[in-house]
Amino acid sequence: MKYKRILLKLSGEALMGDRQYGIDPDRLAEYAQDIKAVTEKGIEVAIVIGGGNIFRGVAGAMNGMDRVQGDHMGMLATVINGLALQNALEDAGVKTRLQTAIKINEVAEPFIRRKAMSHLKKGRVVIFGGGTGNPYFTTDSAAVLRAIEVEADVILKGTRVDGIYNTDPEKDHSAIKFEHITFDDVLRKGLKVMDTTAFTLSQENKLPIIVFDMNTRGNLMKVVSGEKIGTEVNI
């Protein structure tokens, strides 16, 4: 295996499957099986999940809602998704812990770095919910922050697209895919990988990002095995 410890970033929208809203249990079960296969190879897995399938703070703010209130609602949405993913993983026989940046002691542990790293070393999948715990920060920022804190080797951003392209491949069939690209080139070309705060934090800490198609079964295993799947962003 190429990596020992990974941070897997999943969007909330990914959990919808073919639905327009909420969580698709079949998609959730597929993710759980792919994650289980990786853990069985000895890979330590941390996960940050978004909440866009339930609520997005930015969208709420655009409709007149207070941005801070909206972002707090979004944080709670990520906890709901974290609980759903935890349940799916444990149904698959994977030991997990859910830690949140906001205290909800009845349903999850508070985020404590040392405990998170201890869980990972014991082979448990650690799911981080609640984003960073602060408004105005996305779950991309939470993913990079947690990856740095738990000393992950790489951030794997699972999406529905198989990498980074020069234009949107879902709209432009002539879009060109990058197999490898530097942080500087991403910024120079104006490509959208993560929000600027998250991307800059990753660049400053020399933490590579791989963007790949999580919806194709077995791709996660291929990535951690070192196969050229998706697009790698590095220095």
Side-chain angles (χ1 to χ4, degrees):
M1 297 291 105
K2 184 176 182 180
Y3 305 105
K4 174 61 177 175
R5 179 177 295 167
I6 65 171
L7 187 294
L8 177 63
K9 169 61 170 65
L10 297 173
S11 69
E13 288 89 340
L15 300 186
M16 292 191 297
D18 295 327
R19 301 184 178 198
Q20 299 299 312
Y21 176 84
I23 299 170
D24 179 355
D26 293 333
R27 176 58 53 81
L28 204 59
E30 289 175 0
Y31 282 178
Q33 290 298 326
D34 280 347
I35 294 166
K36 178 182 180 180
V38 166
T39 62
E40 289 176 341
K41 294 292 185 180
I43 305 297
E44 297 172 4
V45 181
I47 302 172
V48 168
I49 192 163
N53 56 320
I54 299 172
F55 189 84
R56 297 179 68 88
V58 172
M62 290 175 63
N63 290 318
M65 179 179 289
D66 178 80
R67 173 64 188 271
V68 175
Q69 292 287 82
D71 279 353
H72 283 144
M73 293 171 68
M75 292 175 206
L76 294 174
T78 70
V79 177
I80 292 172
N81 284 338
L83 286 166
L85 182 57
Q86 180 181 42
N87 184 75
L89 284 166
E90 292 186 343
D91 280 349
V94 180
K95 293 182 179 179
T96 71
R97 291 293 186 273
L98 174 61
Q99 293 193 343
T100 58
I102 50 177
K103 291 183 180 179
I104 314 178
N105 294 334
E106 288 75 15
V107 297
E109 298 178 0
F111 169 68
I112 299 172
R113 175 178 178 266
R114 287 181 178 273
K115 289 190 71 172
M117 295 184 74
S118 176
H119 291 320
L120 290 168
K121 289 175 182 177
K122 291 176 181 177
R124 299 165 182 159
V125 172
V126 181
I127 304 166
F128 298 117
T132 66
N134 302 287
Y136 296 98
F137 288 91
T138 67
T139 50
D140 279 346
S141 293
V144 177
L145 179 61
R146 296 292 180 250
I148 295 167
E149 288 177 311
V150 302
E151 301 175 5
D153 300 319
V154 65
I155 295 174
L156 305 181
K157 184 169 182 178
T159 69
R160 62 186 183 188
V161 180
D162 65 340
I164 301 170
Y165 289 76
N166 62 334
T167 60
D168 187 347
E170 295 182 335
K171 297 178 181 178
D172 181 2
H173 296 299
S174 63
I176 300 172
K177 178 184 172 183
F178 301 100
E179 292 190 4
H180 179 272
I181 191 168
T182 66
F183 285 101
D184 288 339
D185 281 344
V186 168
L187 294 172
R188 183 169 55 83
K189 296 176 184 293
L191 303 175
K192 185 65 176 175
V193 178
M194 290 180 166
D195 69 83
T196 304
T197 301
F199 190 78
T200 302
L201 186 60
S202 185
Q203 181 182 26
E204 288 177 348
N205 288 274
K206 298 179 175 60
L207 183 63
I209 303 166
I210 298 178
V211 180
F212 73 106
D213 177 11
M214 182 68 184
N215 294 342
T216 298
R217 296 296 304 274
N219 267 2
L220 180 61
M221 179 64 77
K222 291 178 181 178
V223 171
V224 298
S225 298
E227 291 189 38
K228 297 298 182 181
I229 299 294
T231 301
E232 180 174 356
V233 185
N234 213 327
I235 55 175

